[in-house]
Amino acid sequence: MSKPKVILFDAVGTLFGVKGSVGEVYSAIAQEFGVQVEPKLLDQAFHDTFKKTVPLAFPGAKWVEIPEKEYNWWQAIAKATFAQAGVLEDFQDFPAFFNRLYGYFATPDPWEIYPDILPSLEKWRYERIELGIISNFDSRIHSVLDGLDLKKFFQSITISSSCGVAKPNPKIFTKALEKHQCSPSQAWFIGDSLENDYRGAKAAGLRPFLLQR
């Protein structure tokens, strides 16, 4: 197997993940606002809602509009999650709760780096392979990567919310490769989603690797 010029990665579920579960985080912060709900119930509701939601991408949006659009996209998911769990009406001030929740996920506190990641990134950096990220995430990824001390490894970060297209669309892979002036045949992509990562990268001509956590 020839050494690639560039290795691109998915972010959440590949490089780092939520400590415990999304439901546990949602439940703990809801409790701060006087709302009691089982973490498992919230976790299932979140994943059900997330699967049904359109991708986090805003074609044609102006750069200055994107932060508000990201915020509203996630707030809709949070509302639907708590509605499915049957406790949405228990909040006296849901916007205040969501503002706290959204800000918390911009910090490193709810996240953990998988144990195989740092040795791998160090090895590839030592071998002078360019590294980048392609993620269906929002602009908070920059503060999360900073907080986890991961940003130093990556020469590029390409996110769906700012480039107007989401994985598995091949265009997001092309946009990322342009930053490295790299052809698809010279690049690998590592991710944990069969559809978004493996099949998306393969369709774009990259060598895909499916990571099964």
Side-chain angles (χ1 to χ4, degrees):
M1 188 183 297
S2 60
K3 188 167 76 171
K5 177 184 177 182
V6 176
I7 301 176
L8 300 168
F9 300 82
D10 170 51
V12 179
T14 298
L15 298 172
F16 56 88
V18 176
K19 294 175 184 175
S21 70
V22 173
E24 288 175 27
V25 177
Y26 275 40
S27 177
I29 296 181
Q31 195 168 359
E32 296 176 15
F33 288 78
V35 176
Q36 305 287 335
V37 56
E38 283 293 323
K40 287 185 179 179
L41 184 62
L42 280 178
D43 201 55
Q44 185 61 55
F46 171 81
H47 288 291
D48 289 347
T49 300
F50 193 85
K51 288 176 185 176
K52 294 184 290 186
T53 304
V54 296
L56 181 61
F58 312 109
K62 296 179 181 178
W63 184 80
V64 295
E65 299 172 337
I66 289 172
E68 183 179 0
K69 288 181 177 293
E70 292 174 336
Y71 190 91
N72 292 337
W73 190 90
W74 281 108
Q75 184 167 228
I77 286 179
K79 272 190 174 180
T81 296
F82 283 95
Q84 182 173 320
V87 295
L88 180 60
E89 301 304 320
D90 294 351
F91 286 93
Q92 291 185 350
D93 189 346
F94 189 86
F97 157 76
F98 179 73
N99 189 61
R100 163 86 171 94
L101 182 72
Y102 193 79
Y104 183 65
F105 275 104
T107 73
D109 295 342
W111 306 103
E112 60 182 355
I113 303 169
Y114 296 114
D116 55 349
I117 289 302
L118 289 177
S120 299
L121 295 179
E122 291 282 8
K123 175 181 182 293
W124 286 320
R125 184 167 66 169
Y126 177 78
E127 294 178 352
R128 299 184 181 279
I129 298 172
E130 295 177 32
L131 306 176
I133 289 173
I134 304 176
S135 176
N136 287 358
F137 200 57
D138 58 68
S139 54
R140 290 175 297 172
I141 195 171
H142 297 284
S143 61
V144 171
L145 290 169
D146 276 333
L148 295 174
D149 199 27
L150 286 176
K151 203 169 189 179
K152 62 188 179 185
F153 290 103
F154 300 101
Q155 285 74 56
S156 74
I157 299 169
T158 305
I159 54 175
S160 61
S161 64
S162 63
C163 71
V165 63
K167 296 180 294 182
N169 192 311
K171 290 181 181 178
I172 194 170
F173 296 93
T174 301
K175 287 176 180 287
L177 290 174
E178 287 172 354
K179 298 176 183 179
H180 296 266
Q181 297 181 335
C182 179
S183 67
S185 62
Q186 294 176 293
W188 293 359
F189 187 81
I190 301 172
D192 68 309
S193 167
L194 177 62
E195 184 63 31
N196 287 340
D197 298 328
Y198 186 87
R199 290 176 179 162
K202 189 174 183 179
L206 291 78
R207 185 181 182 98
F209 294 85
L210 182 63
L211 185 60
Q212 296 180 317
R213 288 269 171 225

